[in-house]
Structure formats: C-alpha cells, structure tokens
C-alpha cells in the first residue's frame, strides 16, 4: 500500500487517536461522513462509516471527527455527503485516499488529517489523457521519501507539533523542486532559498515535514491542551498554476483519406493523422464511433451511432494489406485494382465493405491455422471471449437467416449460453465461419492498438465517442434483453438540430435492471474502450439525466416524454378543473383543419384514413392510428395511386393530425399524463377555453423546467460516476440541446468537460456564443459533425452572416459571401484564445484557412443531417494526409494560432533539437537559489498570510 500522509516514530504503543478534519458547506439535512476499507471506518459500507460533526470557524463550516485505531493502522478512505438516514447524496471523485500509521507513535497521541474535498476536476491530471500522454515524461522521478515518512522526529520533551505538507504537482518539469514558503522562520520568511523543500513521494505527490512549537499565540488550531494533535497532515490539493489548455482536430475515421487506404479511412491511417496533428500543434485527435454497425447489410449501416456491438470494431476500417506479410500476388493485384475503383469523392459503403471482406476471406483461408494457433491470438481471445463469442455467433446467424432481427431466428431467438457454445464449438459445421469473425476482430485490434500506441508515444490523446444507444437488432439486445425497453425508442425533443425532434430508433435503457449488478454492461463497455482511447465523448450526456422516450411505433421525435420523469396525475389535473382526458389526449381532428391542410382532396383523406365519430369530428382508423401504420398504408399501391399530392407531403399532413394532442397518456398507467412538447403550437390547445389554457401552460412549464430537476440530478449521480470510474479515460460530455438547469452543476461536480458550439449558445439571450466567456471545463468548437461546417454555415444565411459580422467581428461593412481564409482565421483564433480547456476543430474548418482547399462546394463537407434519419454518412476529405503533411504553410499557420494563444502543444522532432541547442542558455534564467534546479514555489494558501495561519 502506498504510504500517504504517514510517519515513523520511535516506540510501538497500543492505540492512536485518528482525527479527520475537512471544510465543506453542506445544505440543511446533510452531514459529512468518512468511510474506508477497514471495519472501524465501515469497510466501505457508508451506513457504518464515521459521522463527522460540524463547527463554524469564521465563514467556514468545518466537519471533524475521530476514532481510536491501533498503532500501525492503515486503510483507504473517502468522504461522503449523506442525508439523515446515511443515504449517499454526494461522493468524492478521484482516487481513494490512503493512510498508513507507522509503529512508534505514543499511546493516546492525536494524529489529525486536514483534507480538502476532492472534486472531479481534481482528478483530471490522473486521467490517462494527461498522466500517460500529455504529462508522460521521458524522464523518471526517483521517490526520495515514501509517502508518510518523517524526516525529523518530534522532540519528546518539547511541546512541538509536526506538520507535513502535501501537494499534487502533475505538470512538474525535469530538474524542478517544490518548496513551501511562509512567514514562519522554518518556512523561510517568504524567501524561496530558505523555504521547506518537499520530497517526491510518488503519484505526482510532493511532501515535507517540519516541527513547530505549540503555544497560545499560534493561529493554527493547536492549543496547549492535553488533546492537541502532535501530528498534522495538511493536504493542499493541486498546485495552483495557470490552467492547462490544449487543442485538437476532429474527423470521422471514414472521412480520412490516405494513399494507402481502400476507399475509406483505416485505423493505420491514424499514425499519419497523428504526425500531422503534432506538426500542427495539436495534442488530441477525436473520432466518431468506430464500433461495428453491420445491421442491415447496406449503406444504412454507415450510421456510426447505431452499434451492432458495443465492443466489436468495424471491419470497414481494416487495412487488408496488413493482414499478412505473405499475401499472394493475385490478391495484391486485386487490392490495387480495388484501390483505384474505390478512390471516389465519397465513401461507397457497400462496395468497400464487400471488397474488404472478400479479400480478407481469401487471406484468412491461407493463414487461418497459423493465426488461430498463435499465442497472440490466444491471448486476444481469452481476454475478449465474453463479447467476442456472442458477436461471432450473431454475425453468423444474421447472415444465415438474412436478417439481424433476432426475433426471426427460430430457436436462436432467445439467447442462451448452451446454444451459443454448441454453435461455436469446433465440431460445428459453421466453426470456420465463426473463426473468420474472430480473425477480423483480432486484426482490427492489432491495427488500432498500433495506432493508439503511436499516438501516446507522440503525446497525442486519442479521443473516442460513446454512443448513447445500440441498434434494437444488435448483439447486446440479443444477449441482454432485460437491459433494454424494447417497446420504446430513443430520441431528442425539438431543438436547434430539428424542430420536429429526433427519433434515433434505439431502445431505451432499463436502468433499474442495470443497477442490480452496478451497471456491469456499462463498465465492460468502458473498459473495452480504454484499451485504445485515453479520452472519450459521451454522446448526448443528457440521456444519463433523462432520455426522450418515444413509443416503438413512432417515426418522428415529437410526441415523446422524458424518462424518468414525474408525470401529471389524473388527480392533479382534476384538482385544476381538467376532466375531459379523451379530448386532451386523442388527436383533435375537425373538418375545418382537414380542409385547410389537404384542400380539395380532404374527402379522400377522410374516407381513407379516418372515421367520423361525430359530425365534423374525426379519428384515425385502427389500421393507421400510428406513424408507422400511416407510412405503411401510404406505401401500398392502392392508396399511392390515388394521391393528388406527393407522398411525403401527405405523410407530413397526416402526422400533423396524429400529433395534434395536448396530453400524452402513459401506455403503462392510463391515469398518468405528459404534456406534449410545444403544446401551444397545436390547434387542440388553441381551441380550449382560457382557464384550461392557463392551467396547461403552467403545468407544461412545471413539467419541463421545474419538477424534474432533483430527480434528474439524482439519476445522473447514480450512473455517470460508474462510467467515469470504469476507466481512467478523460470524460467529455456532449451537452447540447434542451439543457435542464441541473446538468451543468452535476458535470462540474463530477469533473465532466462540456461542449460549446458558437452557433448554439447555452445562453438563451445570445444568438452567437462568446468564446472568451466560456468556462474552463469545456471543449469549444466552431462546428461539429451534427451541423454544417464553418464554410457551409457562413454561406447558408445572408442575414445571419451580416449579424455575425457586425456583432462578433465588429464590422459594419458587407461581409464576404464566402468564408474566405481571413474569416476562418478570425473564428479559429477566437476559439484557441478561449479559456476552454480544449479547442477542437473539425478538419474541414481547418482546411478553410487556405484557399487551395476551399474549391469543393461547402455543402459537400457536411458529415450528418440530423433531420434525416436515413442520412448517408460518407464524407471523405478531398486531400490526402500525405499531402497535408507536406503542406508546411498550413501547418505553420495552425501551429502559430495554437502557440500564440498560450495553449500547450506537443514537441515535434525539430523542436526537440532546437530545445537541446538552447538548453544551456535557458537553464541559467531558470535556475534559482541552488544554481542546479528550477523551483515550484507554493505559498501557504496561495498568498502571504499571518505567521501560522498559513500552515
């Protein structure tokens, strides 16, 4: 166990009084509790932990408490905020605290630990993105003093107190020491040379001790009573320095183009992208999801967020040339022809997938025995068989039954371990087909691992993407059906991306079931992801607070409800004077609205799709009373041939009728209701009496903006910490859209980094975000994959362009109609100069810095259209990575922006040489006091203060 905060004494005695002290401002009904790994602190059962007592000291609320422990006691511990029943309200983030009391402290001595509450942001330097990549040192620090060791023992006769300082300095540079200075003579009287030099104790922690006389005049809470502590361990958290800031580039894996790829970006292309990123001053490369999406066997599978498996990698990104060193000449020739055929402007998903799998099967047939019997494959298989075996079986059954809909697989519809083992057994007729899928995943793993290792070596963070959902016809819904609500669909309410809302089609999660094994499915998913990535983006992080849930029969995303949420009860509505629930919850269809919407052929619509249940009042027929039924009926040849309008226009009109409701009745409890989103836009609402309108407007506001906040906060605090603690990756959250007020405080508490897109400001009174006012715990970007690129956005709307030019650029002249390099430079500079921790730019926006790369129509650079659920994700950059690496002008422009903003940047090979040549000169200016080392000086509590109060 690492010794954190402990000491060595001279004699072995019976017991020590261990005291904890922590400043923390709680709310009414809350208390602070310390819980640890040993029985005396509850053995990690919070309800058995040590409850602390509060006392006011000035403006601070100090929580403290003590327990008697044996000499030599050791444990791990953390602090918790609890309610009156000791239910956890909030937990500390980051690593567990560790303590070991060495033998020799006298019987009855008081050892006091002064701690600070650990927030999520305190843990960031220990995430792999920083610890193993950005701050990863090519030099090693030797542990001078193990954590807790004492450098000078107490004078047993004198009334002295030993104080140990501890501070975390993760960004320490080579040949640097850490000193504490203060007003006391033993702290140098504010002179660095005479201060207390701290020793490195491991895990980026520096510590040091000094003895201090006790007495009535000292402002440290050390009196002359018998119970005063003789040992104080003072944790000062992080070294206060200018916040670290970096920059990065984002591009989907499929959009990358290189001279070696086969019609699409491939994992091994990431090495070239990393080289370009380093030369351009970027510490990060961000990708879209890279999991297998082969659900439909066609271009619909280009949608990267619809996972077939949350663990399997996509065969699309395989480099077939790297499968073997002994590829036959005829296969090499086939690869060369395929490269020429598939080297198009956009990705041809179906042709590329078919070609790669065909070539891979030929190579597999040659070397299957060699690979499958190799130690490296056996190791891969044993480490991944929990997901790999069901995945391979699923792929075989999908192809055998010609559908991914596992409900159509006969006796295999219901997954079982026994059926699986028989299917994949070596004696099975299909064993070779099963092994082919193992083989593909093995090579994808090798290729992505090679690229990921290269990125880490170069100081570049590889950032992945965690989709919010899985396809309803996926391995995961087959193996774990109890974890999903298969009669529902996931989406998003109307927002910037789509005024009609979005329906992604994924089943929503059964969080109650997932919680029973502490979210093991999520933990396994994050563990797998961390094999390759050191940071990740949580797609639609709002879904961990609440998800927009739609009925499975919906096509659009408008008529949904939040899950979880507190509904409007029938009793509540009746108390407000609302009683006609059929009127409020059924589609409100009147003859006048039919005539207005469909004109002269309204009678055809009425007779085909509706029943008149009262004069002038209509309802949908049973065979078309859902969106999917309407779409299916319109597809039938009989109705289509009679339509006087286009099918799309008729479908939209019928959907409008179906969505013309005020309340959504809960399908599982008919006495619960949810207000329909944008309720005031409906004619159903407009035709109500004034009393009903006023009541519904008030209840609508309460439902969407007030009553759910505490529930959603509690929901997020159950799930998100589990995700974050499942790996050491740096977590970022996509928090765009309709943002509940609880979201940003929770993200800040957990150390989650948010997203800011300038054209989608979170402030309701702004049209354009102000990057200089973004908070530090954010990623800022001018655009993202879900909206148009910088160039396309600039060209879309002339009036908006003029407002931006006037209000943001600060010019009254007519702006250029195209996003010329000067405009791109201005906007990118705005973002690199922002306080945000990360500024991450889509590659398309960076290419706009040079006119040579702006010849392609801007609209063609858009990756996704969120309003189109069947969008073809196929954008490819029109320039190869090799060409970009040779373009020193563009790289110099980008790096100049990054360096000029004060952001950190990786050191390239040329800079290493230049740094070595100037080392002798710069060393003299950096040396302080000893002439041999640089100093990090931590003043007590950050500023000069009175003599002992700083200690």
């Amino acid at each position: 166990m690492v010794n954190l905060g402990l000491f060595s004494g001279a004699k072995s005695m019976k017991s020590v009084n261990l005291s904890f002290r922590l400043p923390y401002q709680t709310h009414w009904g809350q208390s602070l509790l310390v819980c640890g790994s040993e029985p005396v602190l509850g053995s990690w059962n919070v309800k058995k932990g040590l409850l602390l007592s509060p006392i006011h000291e000035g403006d601070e609320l100090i929580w403290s408490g003590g327990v008697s422990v044996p000499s030599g006691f050791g444990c791990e511990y953390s602090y918790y905020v609890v309610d009156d029943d000791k239910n956890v309200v909030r937990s500390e983030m980051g690593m567990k605290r560790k303590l070991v009391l060495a033998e020799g402290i006298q019987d009855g001595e008081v050892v006091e630990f002064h701690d600070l509450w650990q927030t999520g942001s305190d843990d960031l330097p220990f995430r792999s993105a920083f610890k193993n990549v950005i701050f990863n040192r090519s030099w090693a620090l030797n542990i001078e003093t193990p954590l807790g060791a004492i450098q000078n023992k107490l004078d047993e006769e004198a009334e002295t107190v030993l104080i140990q300082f501890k501070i975390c300095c993760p960004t320490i540079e080579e040949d640097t020491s850490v000193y504490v200075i203060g007003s006391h003579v033993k702290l140098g009287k504010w002179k660095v040379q005479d201060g207390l030099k701290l020793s490195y104790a491991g895990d980026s922690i520096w510590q040091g001790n000094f003895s201090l006389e006790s007495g009535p005049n000292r402002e440290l809470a050390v009196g002359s009573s018998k119970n005063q502590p003789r040992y104080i361990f003072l944790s000062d958290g992080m070294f206060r320095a200018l916040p670290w800031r970096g920059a990065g580039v984002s591009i989907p894996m499929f959009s990358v183009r290189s001279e070696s790829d086969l019609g699409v970006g491939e994992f091994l292309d990431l090495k070239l992208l990393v080289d370009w990123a380093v030369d351009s001053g970027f510490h990060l490369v961000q990708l879209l999801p890279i999991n297998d999406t082969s659900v439909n066997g066609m271009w619909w599978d280009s949608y990267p967020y619809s996972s077939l498996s949350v663990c399997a990698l996509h065969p699309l990104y395989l480099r077939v040339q790297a499968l073997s060193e002994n590829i036959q000449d005829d296969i090499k020739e086939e690869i060369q022809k395929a490269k020429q055929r598939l080297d198009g402007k956009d990705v041809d998903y179906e042709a590329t997938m078919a070609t790669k799998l065909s070539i891979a099967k030929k190579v597999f047939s040659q070397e299957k025995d060699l690979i499958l019997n190799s130690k490296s494959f056996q190791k891969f298989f044993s480490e991944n068989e929990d997901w790999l075996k069901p995945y391979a079986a699923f792929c075989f059954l999908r192809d055998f039954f010609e559908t991914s809909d596992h409900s159509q697989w006969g006796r295999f519809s219901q997954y079982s371990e026994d059926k699986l083992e028989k299917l994949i057994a070596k004696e099975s007729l299909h064993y070779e087909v099963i092994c082919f899928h193992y083989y593909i995943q093995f090579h994808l793993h090798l290729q992505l691992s090679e690229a990921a290792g290269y990125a880490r070596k170069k100081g570049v963070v590889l950032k992945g993407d965690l989709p919010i959902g899985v396809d309803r016809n996926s391995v995961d819904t087959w193996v774990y059906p109890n974890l999903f609500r298969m009669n529902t669909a996931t989406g998003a309410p109307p927002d910037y991306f789509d005024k009609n809302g979005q329906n992604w089609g994924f089943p929503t999660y059964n969080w109650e079931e997932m919680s029973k094994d502490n979210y093991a499915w999520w933990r396994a998913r994050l563990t797998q992801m961390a094999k390759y990535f050191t940071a990740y983006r949580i797609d639609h992080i709002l879904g961990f607070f609440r998800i927009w849930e739609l009925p499975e029969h919906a096509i659009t995303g408008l008529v949904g409800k939040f899950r979880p949420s507190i509904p409007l009860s029938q009793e509540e509505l009746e108390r407000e004077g609302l009683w006609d629930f059929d009127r409020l919850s059924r589609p409100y269809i009147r003859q006048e609205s039919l005539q207005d919407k469909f004109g002269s052929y309204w009678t055809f619509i009425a007779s085909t799709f509706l029943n008149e249940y009262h004069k002038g009042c209509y309802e949908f027929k049973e065979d078309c009373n859902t969106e999917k039924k309407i779409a299916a009926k319109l597809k039938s040849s009989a109705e289509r041939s009679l339509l006087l309008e286009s099918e799309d226009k008729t479908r939209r009109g019928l959907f409008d009728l179906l969505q013309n409701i005020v309340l959504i009745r809960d399908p599982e409890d008919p006495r619960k209701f949810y207000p329909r989103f944008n309720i005031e836009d409906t004619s159903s609402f407009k035709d109500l009496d004034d009393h009903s309108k006023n009541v519904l407007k008030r209840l609508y506001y309460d439902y969407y903006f007030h009553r759910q906040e505490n529930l959603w906060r509690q929901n997020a605090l159950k799930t998100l910490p589990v995700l974050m603690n499942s790996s050491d990756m740096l977590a970022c959250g996509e928090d765009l859209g309709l943002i509940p007020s609880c979201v940003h405080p929770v993200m800040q508490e957990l150390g989650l980094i948010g997203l800011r897109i300038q054209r989608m400001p979170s402030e309701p009174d702004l049209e354009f975000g102000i990057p200089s006012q973004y908070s530090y715990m954010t990623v800022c970007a001018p655009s993202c994959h879900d909206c148009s690129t910088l160039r396309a956005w600039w060209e879309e709307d002339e009036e908006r362009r003029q407002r931006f030019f006037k209000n943001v650029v600060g010019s009254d002249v007519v702006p250029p109609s195209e996003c010329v390099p000067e405009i791109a430079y201005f906007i990118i500079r705005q973002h690199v100069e922002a306080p945000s921790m990360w500024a991450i730019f889509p590659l398309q926006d960076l290419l706009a810095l040079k006119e040579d790369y702006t010849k392609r129509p801007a609209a063609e650079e858009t990756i996704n259209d969120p309003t189109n659920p069947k969008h073809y994700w196929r954008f490819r950059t029109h320039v190869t990575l090799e060409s970009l690496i040779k373009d020193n002008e563009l790289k110099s422009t980008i790096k100049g922006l990054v360096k000029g903003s004060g952001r950190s940047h990786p050191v390239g090979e040329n800079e290493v040489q230049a740094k070595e040549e100037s080392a002798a000169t710069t060393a003299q200016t950096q040396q302080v006091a000893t002439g041999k080392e640089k100093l990090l000086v931590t003043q007590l509590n950050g500023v000069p203060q009175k003599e002992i109060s700083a200690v």
Side-chain angles (χ1 to χ4, degrees):
M1 180 179 290
V2 177
N3 280 344
L4 236 175
L6 318 195
F7 30 91
S8 305
K11 300 176 182 178
S12 177
M13 291 294 181
K14 296 180 180 179
S15 66
V16 176
N17 294 320
L18 194 62
S19 176
F20 299 93
R21 175 186 170 93
L22 184 139
Y24 191 90
Q25 197 67 41
T26 55
H27 296 293
W28 182 260
Q30 296 178 349
S31 299
L32 220 65
L33 174 149
V34 61
C35 185
S37 57
E38 294 299 311
V40 71
L41 292 179
S43 298
W44 293 123
N45 182 344
V46 175
K47 290 186 181 293
K48 296 181 179 179
L50 173 65
L51 201 61
L52 305 182
S53 301
I55 185 171
H56 283 279
E57 291 186 4
D59 294 332
E60 284 191 316
L61 185 63
I62 306 296
W63 292 84
S64 61
V67 64
S68 180
V69 298
S71 179
F73 175 81
C75 75
E76 294 183 330
Y77 69 99
S78 285
Y79 293 98
Y80 298 84
V81 178
V82 296
D83 61 19
D84 291 337
D85 296 321
K86 287 192 176 182
N87 297 311
V88 176
V89 176
R90 186 175 296 111
S91 306
E92 281 193 299
M93 298 297 292
M95 298 184 296
K96 304 294 185 186
R97 304 170 188 271
K98 299 179 182 180
L99 68 85
V100 177
L101 302 184
E103 300 285 346
I105 300 175
Q106 293 185 20
D107 186 26
E109 290 283 19
V110 178
V111 179
E112 191 165 88
F113 287 83
H114 290 214
D115 290 323
L116 298 175
W117 180 270
Q118 290 180 169
T119 65
S121 58
D122 294 329
D123 187 46
L124 293 181
F126 301 100
R127 294 286 170 175
S128 57
F130 290 109
K131 183 179 179 180
N132 300 333
V133 182
I134 295 170
F135 300 153
N136 189 31
R137 308 178 183 92
S138 58
W139 49 277
L141 276 171
N142 295 319
I143 295 180
E144 301 166 283
T145 308
L147 277 170
I150 278 183
Q151 295 172 350
N152 55 318
K153 64 180 181 179
L154 290 174
D155 184 340
E156 295 184 7
E157 296 181 0
E159 290 295 324
T160 58
V161 174
L162 185 134
I163 299 177
Q164 181 187 86
F165 297 95
K166 184 177 68 178
I167 191 163
C168 180
C169 306
T171 60
I172 198 83
E173 297 181 19
E174 192 171 6
D175 298 327
T176 303
S177 294
V178 182
Y179 279 70
V180 179
I181 61 173
S183 58
H184 193 272
V185 63
K186 291 193 176 182
L187 295 180
K189 290 191 173 182
W190 302 117
K191 294 180 181 179
V192 175
Q193 297 89 331
D194 299 328
L196 173 67
K197 182 179 178 180
L198 304 186
S199 303
Y200 184 59
D203 284 336
S204 298
I205 301 293
W206 299 71
Q207 68 179 22
N209 314 300
F210 81 99
S211 297
L212 180 67
E213 291 180 332
S214 63
N217 295 326
R218 304 302 183 186
E219 293 189 27
L220 178 66
V222 176
S224 54
S225 68
K226 293 182 179 180
N227 293 324
Q228 71 178 41
R230 295 289 302 278
Y231 301 87
I232 295 177
F233 292 83
L234 188 62
S235 297
D236 275 326
M238 290 287 169
F239 186 86
R240 298 186 180 112
L242 287 175
W244 184 95
R245 293 154 64 240
V249 58
S250 63
I251 186 74
M253 190 70 260
F254 58 80
S255 298
V256 171
R257 186 187 295 269
S258 77
E259 295 173 3
S260 301
D261 69 45
L262 203 66
V264 69
E266 298 166 347
F267 288 147
L268 289 176
D269 288 328
L270 289 172
K271 296 169 72 174
L272 287 174
L273 184 56
V274 164
D275 286 340
W276 180 82
V278 170
D279 290 348
S280 302
F282 290 140
H283 259 306
L284 181 145
V285 167
Q286 177 173 322
L287 303 175
L288 293 189
I290 55 171
N291 294 111
D292 193 357
T293 58
S294 306
V295 174
N296 303 289
M298 57 179 294
W299 65 263
W300 287 0
D301 297 337
S302 67
Y303 181 28
Y305 288 89
S306 188
S307 306
L308 175 82
S309 164
V310 297
C311 291
L313 299 172
H314 206 309
L316 186 69
Y317 307 127
L318 182 71
R319 176 155 297 168
V320 292
Q321 304 96 302
L323 288 175
S324 172
E325 296 179 354
N326 303 304
I327 295 178
Q328 294 179 354
D329 290 342
D330 59 330
I331 299 178
K332 288 181 179 178
E333 186 177 347
E334 182 181 354
I335 292 172
Q336 286 303 117
K337 289 180 179 178
K339 283 180 64 175
Q340 297 173 11
R341 185 177 73 253
L342 297 172
D343 189 25
K345 181 177 71 174
D346 298 309
V347 176
D348 186 334
Y349 181 90
E350 294 174 18
T352 303
M353 276 291 288
T355 300
K356 288 197 172 191
L357 290 176
S358 174
I359 293 171
K361 285 176 182 176
K362 294 175 182 177
V363 180
F364 172 71
S365 66
Q366 294 175 9
E367 60 168 28
K368 57 188 176 186
D369 293 334
L370 176 66
I371 295 298
L372 297 179
N373 292 319
S374 67
K375 288 184 179 179
S376 57
F377 174 80
Q378 294 297 330
K379 181 175 184 291
F380 166 77
F381 185 84
S382 64
E383 292 175 352
N384 296 276
E385 61 181 320
D386 287 348
W387 66 263
L388 185 60
K389 293 195 294 188
Y391 165 78
F394 186 99
C395 291
F396 165 73
L397 292 168
R398 172 200 61 198
D399 298 341
F400 181 83
F401 288 102
E402 298 183 337
T403 178
S404 291
D405 183 356
H406 37 82
S407 67
Q408 306 299 312
W409 289 356
R411 67 187 184 92
F412 292 106
S413 296
Q414 302 295 320
Y415 172 85
S416 76
E417 292 284 347
D418 290 341
K419 293 175 187 176
L420 174 69
E421 292 301 328
K422 290 178 183 177
L423 191 65
I424 65 173
K426 289 186 177 181
E427 302 77 28
S428 167
L429 295 173
H430 322 295
Y431 183 65
E432 187 169 314
V433 179
I434 296 290
C435 287
F436 174 69
H437 296 294
Y438 296 161
Y439 171 82
I440 293 294
Q441 288 301 312
F442 173 59
H443 278 285
L444 287 166
H445 164 74
L446 292 179
Q447 293 180 16
L448 181 55
S449 296
E450 180 180 336
Y454 187 82
R456 284 192 292 271
K457 180 181 176 183
K458 291 285 188 175
V460 173
V461 173
L462 199 57
K463 181 181 177 184
D465 198 323
L466 183 75
I468 185 62
V470 301
D471 198 282
R472 66 177 56 252
N473 296 320
S474 66
V475 180
D476 299 278
T477 58
W478 181 51
V479 177
Y480 308 106
N482 58 315
L483 301 184
F484 304 91
R485 290 169 52 82
M486 296 299 290
N487 62 337
T488 66
T490 304
D495 58 13
Y496 175 92
F497 297 110
D498 192 335
K499 63 183 180 62
N500 293 313
Q502 300 175 61
N503 184 343
W504 304 321
F506 316 133
T508 57
Y509 295 119
N510 185 344
W511 289 110
E512 294 79 10
E513 192 68 27
M514 287 181 162
S515 68
K516 292 178 180 178
D517 59 5
N518 195 28
Y519 309 96
W521 182 80
W522 284 102
R523 288 185 285 113
R525 188 177 179 185
L526 270 293
T527 300
Q528 184 70 15
M529 198 174 184
K531 293 178 180 178
Y532 313 109
F533 297 103
T534 49
Y536 65 108
R537 167 189 178 271
I538 303 174
D539 174 44
H540 193 64
I541 196 172
L542 304 183
F544 293 91
F545 292 79
R546 82 294 184 272
I547 198 70
W548 188 244
E549 186 176 76
L550 300 152
E552 192 274 332
H553 54 69
I555 293 177
T556 68
L558 186 59
V559 185
K561 67 180 188 296
F562 286 123
R563 181 177 179 85
S565 66
I566 303 169
L568 308 177
S569 68
Q570 184 168 321
E571 293 77 14
E572 180 180 6
L573 294 167
E574 288 173 343
R575 285 197 301 270
E576 297 284 358
L578 301 178
W579 55 270
D580 192 349
F581 301 110
D582 282 346
R583 159 69 178 85
L584 297 172
S585 62
R586 292 171 60 184
Y588 181 72
I589 307 171
R590 298 296 180 264
Q591 183 174 318
E592 297 80 8
S593 60
L594 290 173
Q595 291 171 335
D596 290 343
K597 191 171 292 291
F598 298 103
S600 59
Y601 79 113
W602 76 269
T603 54
F604 167 76
I605 293 294
S607 62
T608 306
F609 298 94
L610 306 170
N611 290 323
E612 187 175 15
Y613 66 91
H614 190 71
K615 186 172 177 59
C617 301
Y618 295 83
E619 63 183 3
F620 278 96
K621 294 180 178 180
E622 182 67 26
D623 66 346
C624 52
N625 60 359
T626 70
E627 290 178 352
K628 284 189 176 179
K629 287 180 180 179
I630 290 172
K633 190 163 185 174
L634 283 172
K635 289 290 183 187
S636 67
S637 57
E639 273 74 23
R640 186 187 300 185
S641 62
L642 296 173
L643 293 178
L644 301 177
E645 299 271 1
S646 72
E647 183 182 334
D648 284 346
K649 186 174 180 181
T650 303
R651 182 174 63 247
R652 285 197 301 271
L654 289 168
F655 282 5
D656 286 344
L657 295 179
L658 194 64
Q659 297 163 354
N660 190 25
I661 58 177
V662 173
L663 298 177
I664 301 168
R665 193 186 291 266
D666 192 319
E668 298 172 10
D669 187 343
R671 297 180 65 83
K672 294 179 180 177
F673 299 87
Y674 307 86
R676 184 252 205 218
F677 201 87
N678 289 341
I679 191 174
E680 295 182 56
D681 292 346
T682 67
S683 63
S684 179
F685 176 86
K686 293 173 183 176
D687 284 357
L688 292 170
D689 61 89
D690 288 344
H691 169 75
S692 297
K693 287 181 183 178
N694 291 333
V695 168
L696 286 166
K697 279 194 288 188
R698 175 164 47 81
L699 292 175
Y700 175 93
Y701 181 84
D702 179 61
Y703 175 83
Y704 282 102
F705 303 106
H706 180 66
R707 72 164 67 189
Q708 319 296 346
E709 292 295 327
N710 190 51
L711 172 66
W712 291 344
R713 181 184 181 281
Q714 291 174 355
N715 199 51
L717 289 175
K718 288 178 186 175
T719 55
L720 286 173
V722 175
L723 262 71
M724 299 178 68
N725 293 329
S726 298
S727 77
D728 61 355
M729 292 184 290
L730 179 68
C732 306
E734 180 266 290
D735 53 345
L736 304 176
L738 183 69
I739 310 295
S741 59
C742 62
V743 170
H744 290 153
V746 168
M747 291 181 67
Q748 183 175 356
E749 180 179 331
L750 298 181
L752 275 161
I753 302 166
L755 177 61
R756 299 293 176 267
I757 305 293
Q758 188 171 27
R759 70 187 76 169
M760 292 177 258
S762 54
E763 301 85 355
D765 57 334
L766 291 179
E767 181 179 14
F768 310 110
I770 305 172
S772 62
Q773 296 181 6
Y774 292 159
S775 62
Y776 174 66
M777 290 290 290
T778 56
V779 171
C780 68
S783 70
C784 65
H785 68 273
D786 272 333
C787 60
S788 53
T789 60
L790 187 54
R791 286 177 59 220
W793 177 78
W794 186 265
E795 297 174 10
E796 286 168 356
D797 188 327
E798 181 180 357
E799 293 183 359
R800 182 182 63 197
R801 180 168 67 236
Q802 291 175 346
R803 292 194 300 273
F804 183 90
F805 209 63
K806 179 179 180 179
N807 299 328
V808 179
V809 180
S811 174
D812 290 322
V813 303
V814 178
S817 59
E818 296 182 351
C819 184
V820 295
E822 291 78 9
I823 295 295
Y825 187 92
F826 173 86
I827 294 174
I828 291 173
R829 190 180 70 184
Q830 268 193 312
H831 287 75
V832 293
E833 292 178 351
S836 301
M837 179 189 297
W838 289 101
I840 300 177
F841 303 94
L843 182 59
Q844 305 96 298
D845 291 351
L846 295 168
L847 295 181
L849 288 168
K850 190 169 182 178
E851 190 174 357
D852 293 355
Y853 300 125
T854 62
K855 306 303 182 186
R856 184 176 186 172
E860 292 182 1
E861 294 182 332
T862 299
I863 294 168
N864 178 38
D865 174 9
T867 65
N868 178 10
K870 293 299 182 185
H871 178 75
Y872 195 167
W873 298 61
R874 62 187 314 196
F875 166 73
R876 293 189 80 194
T877 56
H878 54 293
V879 56
T880 65
L881 289 172
E882 289 86 352
S883 297
L884 286 177
I885 289 173
K886 294 175 184 176
D887 191 339
N888 293 323
E889 180 185 359
L890 178 65
K891 292 191 299 184
S892 177
T893 299
I894 297 171
K895 191 163 191 175
L897 282 163
V898 174
K899 293 180 69 174
S901 70
R903 289 186 179 270
S904 173
H905 61 280
V907 179
E909 294 179 3
N910 294 335
E911 286 183 294
V912 171
Q913 184 177 355
K915 186 177 180 180
E916 290 173 350
E917 292 174 354
S918 62
T921 305
T922 58
Q924 294 179 5
T925 63
Q926 294 169 335
Q927 289 168 358
V928 179
T930 64
K932 295 181 181 179
E933 57 191 4
K934 293 174 282 183
L935 306 180
L936 282 180
V937 181
T938 175
Q939 297 177 340
L940 296 183
N941 293 338
V943 293
Q945 295 188 8
K946 295 180 181 179
E947 185 173 357
I948 305 304
S949 61
V951 179

